[in-house]
Amino acid sequence: MQRLRNTEITYLKGVGPSRAKLLEKELGIRTFADMLMHFPSHYVDRSRFYTISSFSSHEMPMVQVKGRFVNFNVQGEGAKTRLVGLFTDGRNSMEIVWFRRIKFIRESYRTDTEYVVFGKPSLFGSRWSMVHPEIDRAADAETNRGLRGVYPLTEALRSRNVTSRTLFGYIRTLLDGKAASISDPLPDDLRRRLGLMSRAEAFRAVHLPQDNNQLQRARFRLKFDELLYLQLNILQYSRRRNTAAGGIRMPLVGDAFRKFYDQCLPFPLTGAQKRVIKEIRADLNSGRQMNRLLQGDVGSGKTLVALMTMLIAIGNGAQACLMAPTEILATQHAETLRELVAPIGINVKLLTGSTPTAERRTIHQQLLNGTLHMLVGTHAVIEDAVQFKNLGYVVIDEQHRFGVAQRARLWMKNTIPPHILVMTATPIPRTLAMTVYGDLDVSIIDELPPGRKPITTVLRTDTHRLDVYRAITRELRQGRQAYIVYPLIKENEKVNLRSLEEGYEHICDTFRGFKVAFVHGQMKPAEKDAQMELFASHKADILVATTVIEVGVNVPNASVMLIENAERFGLSQLHQLRGRVGRGADQSYCILMTKHNIAADTRKRLEIMTSTTDGFIVAEADLKMRGPGDIEGTLQSGMALDLHIASLATDGEIITLARREAEALLDKDPQLASPSLTPLRIEMSQQFNRTVDWSRIS
Ligand code: ADP
Ligand code: MG
């Protein structure tokens, strides 16, 4: 494998310098190994022949048809010139269409020869056609029987005549040559125990499967490898970090915590809050640097846990910092915390992009001389100008908005890295907890404060609009408040704002006699804050908003969340929005509005919301439905895992297996130092060295 990794594809038969450049640019394929790891995205059954009469008007898969060309015609002119071959299977006919390389193609095919054409049929009017299909002489086509991989391509490649078959040709050359003898990095006993195919065999079978059973075994083997290397990397990194004596030791519970507990605690802690505070306290006292992920559904009371553990740090003479993803949220946190700790003389300050210069200067000064105990802010707190005397503890709220690089900058703010608590209200599915967050310890708040009524969620369409408004009016009359949320249309900020403004006017018209506040992402922070403040202080009854309110905003008196065009939101996002209500003791409602006609799968997706309030179930479903492609984007974690074949969405069982085996391997041999594990160690260091720098992930 090492040799395949070091050999550039220009050395492959048929790949010249310009094609090599193209492949690298379009598919990231630079070496033999990259080529071999360009796996088919799906497979088609080439053992089955179709007749044209059996084509159906539903979306057709790739199919093959045996027959002859009747004639060829050049049609259209200029850029629209195309070659059309009339192709018959003996009973019916279809058109085969080419837009490129017309002259060459016209000379390649004859009317007296039987061919097999392979492509995706589409219907124009009453006529079936195929554009640029693969074509073999029927006499040669026998070799194509069985499953055939279809390789991911790009438009640029297609237009330069690089097809799935071209790629398969290159890979085939490798499989028959250098790749036939690649060695297996897995120890024999492990391979035998798990009944795994050899790696050389797996590479061959994944590109050239004899049957489905063999294909599945090959895919299992390759996925297992990939996930095993991932787990070895994660576990080795976190074990190493845990044994290095790198953490600030905080042995005391401390006065700040005690005083707060005795004098200021606004309500008894829930059992889950107590448990998590104990877990964190143990970490702070361990002498190791804490890297902990705190998961708790919206409204579960994470802020109080953050506060009380920050007080422990402060009681040990350290400074604490809480970082939030938006200005609104940071401001709200600062106010909440300041109010809670005011009686015990803790100095809390807010630092955001809009903090005035004079105040900023005071903050910088107080941070340096140690008189500022607790800094709350947006990413403004990680600017270089912000220097602490002794930063010991950092809480990051709603972490998925923060990139790894940003977190790493926090690390550098102290000679000994501060303890880090990452809080998220987006429940993290098990597979992600084991991979993307696999190096963090996890605490879970799985209990809501007492007295909450579960939120009632309903799905409504435009035809119910009047009823919905009537119900909202009823709530408002009882002194409750309502959120009305519009989706953001990213591609077009102007249209977006207009539709939002229209929505706002419509709501003002509909709910006369009630006061309506209005926030969106393009407002100046001061204006935004003023509007939020109107709603928070109940000077406004309704808040019309975009998703800026998604995270964290806390108005317990609000009992209605109306979400317009709910189908445009992801499930996790809907769950976040829903979590803005149900924070008080009253029954709350979440109304998902859609247009009248929505696709069946959209409806199914939204019905997950109406059927459960459990964030974990929502998150698992979201992950499954959106598939792996979206995950990394959503997490914005800065960690491109770059998995070639395994999927974080669907390979939960293999991930679990890989983690278990990785743990066993490291238990026996923490450095993987024994000679029998050398190939494994090399593979594992190769797999991710281009993408993930684990040493920088907090
Ligand atoms: P989240 O986990 O979403 O950040 P918050 O920390 O904002 O949740 O808490 C949600 C609400 O619950 C707040 O109004 C908070 O004051 C309240 N709360 C937190 N802990 C308790 C508790 N133990 N008992 C009663 N209410 C609580
Ligand atoms: Mg919160």
Side-chain angles (χ1 to χ4, degrees), residues 11-32:
Y11 293 98
L12 193 61
K13 214 174 81 202
V15 181
S18 81
R19 179 149 290 184
K21 220 182 248 163
L22 187 67
L23 287 169
E24 173 159 19
K25 177 158 172 274
E26 294 298 313
L27 299 173
I29 296 176
R30 197 176 56 79
T31 65
F32 280 13

Side-chain angles (χ1 to χ4, degrees), residues 12-13 15 29 32-40 151-152 164-180 203-204 206-208:
L12 193 61
K13 214 174 81 202
V15 181
I29 296 176
F32 280 13
D34 293 336
M35 181 65 87
L36 205 56
M37 297 219 278
H38 189 61
F39 298 118
Y151 292 88
S164 186
R165 167 187 289 200
T166 318
L167 293 179
F168 178 71
Y170 297 149
I171 291 166
R172 178 103 205 218
T173 308
L174 283 175
L175 289 172
D176 291 342
K178 292 214 160 36
F203 270 121
R204 185 167 192 88
V206 81
H207 291 293
L208 195 58

